[in-house]
Amino acid sequence: MITAMPSKPVPEPTPESRPYWQGLAEGRLVLQRCADCGRVRHYPRPLCDACHSFAADWVEASGAATLHSWTVAHHPYHPAFRAELPYVLATADLAEGVRLVAQLRGAAVLRLGLPLRIGFEPAGEGLVLPVLRPAG
Amino acid sequence: MTLGGKAAVTGIGETDYTRDAGGRGVLTLQLEASLAAIADAGLRPAEIDGIVMPIGLGATVAEDFVTNLGIPDLRFSTTTPLGGAGAVAAVQCAAAAVAAGLCRHVLLPLGRTGRTGSRIGARIHQMPQFRTVGEFEAPVGALAPAQYYAPMARRHMELFGTTSRQLAEIAVTTRQHAILNGNATMTAPMTIEDHQASRMIADPLRLLDCSLESDGAAAVVVSKADAAGDLRQPRVLLTGLAEGHPDSPSTITQRPDMTRLGLAKAAPRAFAMAGVTPADIDVAEIYDCFTYIVLCQLEDLGFCGKGEGGAFVEGGALGLGGRLPVNTHGGLLSQSHMAGMNHVVELVRQLRGQAGRAQVADAEVGLVTGYGDLGDGTIAIMARA
């Protein structure tokens, strides 16, 4: 007998977000940048809200971040994440001025401003997710 | 022209609130509540000429009500798909419609099988406002409202020293009110220690910081103010109405200040329209999907400064006889999760003097708020007139 395990939610990339997911698959965190005014924006979307340009290119993030806030997930909202509980979901300020949500591993103490580094973890079927760890 | 004072809530209705509606579907529940609200107003179903459907999850449509209620001439219908802000948004929309002369008596039905139907972790990802977080945050394990909202509460705690025991004050007071209500799901007394001992869901939010999953329905009728005087009940005028959206409304993650909700933009507009200040409010029904969301809204409404909500709620301040009686029906936390339509019903009941054992003495002016994913805010200020 095969017991079906519901799989984790996978992203359905849009034309705007495909380079973001492709970058992660290559082990790089890339951020969308307005090709006209230079403003970095996240999450990927069609239009720059500062100058209303549709033109965008991509810039690789430095990987430096700090902890903006967090939660520790205890309740199994999805069976595919049950084995990982409890896990820390961190909201991180990136050096580029936008934020990222990722699981944070290996932090003994959580506090606002904690220096973090961005890493990458394969999540199966070609999907790579960002992961955060304490810097240094 | 101002919208304030042009419309009134003339009818209120509710089903029994349970965790299992016993096989009654969403439409049946909505029709039960609708018939109760129409009768409460002293109207016949055929006199309803407008319908606004809050939430907009698509379970039922205005046509269902025309068909079942035998409405001969529906002149206005729309939806207000703002999640938990949708009920109060529907009140604003209905008030605007009657003030503009499009119709005279608008029915606002809200019902759900939130407990016996689909549950929250699956349900939200069918809602378009969760599309962005669904793509970028769900894959890393951020899947449900508790997990999206907990970082707001955590940051508030870190910046301002807010504590879990202060959140517990909100849960405990709300439970006390539910016990007085007579139509509430949760009726066992709760202490701060009970709250502190409840299991962690998404730190810092514990089980007793979270609202219920419920079956049931609530409905109200909004009428043109000059029609309301002919009807059965004491007149409750809509004096201030507003909607506000936070910066970065599609994701809390990217919000410049994640301790400030859309209500912070809406509240000053509503108070100005009504010509009152927070000091004039006798009773407040505040959307309470989570305890922290109540605390944050108290600040955004101006009852205290940003960061002062924790101290504000201490010592039973939100109870009957307290500084500001809040959620006198038991709210989403302990009465039923009717997405805030039960809050609208309760405010009307308070201002009519029909709130029974939970009646706030001499309640003349009150407010009700809505909070929708991921931070949209709505507010209605009402006055006995």
Side-chain angles (χ1 to χ4, degrees), chain B residues 177-327:
Chain B
H177 295 162
I179 291 167
L180 299 175
N181 181 273
N183 184 19
T185 304
M186 304 299 283
T187 55
M190 184 201 300
T191 65
I192 287 179
E193 283 65 37
D194 292 333
H195 172 280
Q196 294 291 291
S198 67
R199 69 189 170 92
M200 198 64 87
I201 299 295
D203 181 88
L205 302 176
R206 296 179 175 277
L207 180 67
L208 294 180
D209 290 304
C210 302
S211 51
L212 303 169
E213 294 267 53
S214 305
D215 286 12
V220 303
V221 177
V222 172
S223 303
K224 204 162 166 33
D226 62 12
D230 305 334
L231 303 179
R232 277 185 56 196
Q233 298 288 353
R235 200 165 74 146
V236 176
L237 279 179
L238 291 158
T239 57
L241 293 152
E243 167 179 334
H245 297 260
D247 299 333
S248 180
S250 297
T251 165
I252 293 160
T253 301
Q254 308 296 343
R255 189 162 301 158
D257 179 357
M258 65 164 64
T259 68
R260 205 169 289 272
L261 303 171
L263 184 63
K265 299 180 186 179
R269 291 198 286 267
F271 282 116
M273 185 187 291
V276 299
T277 71
D280 298 313
I281 299 298
D282 299 315
V283 56
E285 314 299 351
I286 297 182
Y287 198 85
D288 56 334
C289 48
F290 297 95
T291 52
Y292 167 75
I293 298 297
V294 175
L295 186 148
C296 188
Q297 287 177 93
L298 287 167
E299 297 172 348
D300 289 343
L301 285 162
F303 288 106
C304 58
K306 184 52 64 184
E308 297 170 359
F312 184 88
V313 304
E314 283 185 331
L318 307 187
L320 298 172
R323 171 183 348 196
L324 177 69
V326 165
N327 293 347

Side-chain angles (χ1 to χ4, degrees), chain A residues 69-75 77 87-89 110 112, chain B residues 145-159 161-168 171 195-210 258 290-293 295:
Chain A
S69 194
W70 69 89
T71 182
V72 186
H74 289 267
H75 182 77
Y77 284 103
Y87 55 87
V88 178
L89 288 165
L110 298 168
L112 299 191
Chain B
Q147 296 170 330
Y148 297 125
Y149 302 164
M152 298 193 284
R154 171 53 61 192
R155 188 162 171 87
H156 200 280
M157 289 175 159
E158 298 297 311
L159 289 176
T162 309
T163 66
S164 176
R165 292 184 74 87
Q166 290 170 332
L167 298 183
H195 172 280
Q196 294 291 291
S198 67
R199 69 189 170 92
M200 198 64 87
I201 299 295
D203 181 88
L205 302 176
R206 296 179 175 277
L207 180 67
L208 294 180
D209 290 304
C210 302
M258 65 164 64
F290 297 95
T291 52
Y292 167 75
I293 298 297
L295 186 148

Side-chain angles (χ1 to χ4, degrees), chain B residues 89-109:
Chain B
V91 172
Q92 173 178 259
C93 184
V98 298
L102 298 175
C103 48
R104 284 173 67 82
H105 300 293
V106 186
L107 175 66
L108 284 58

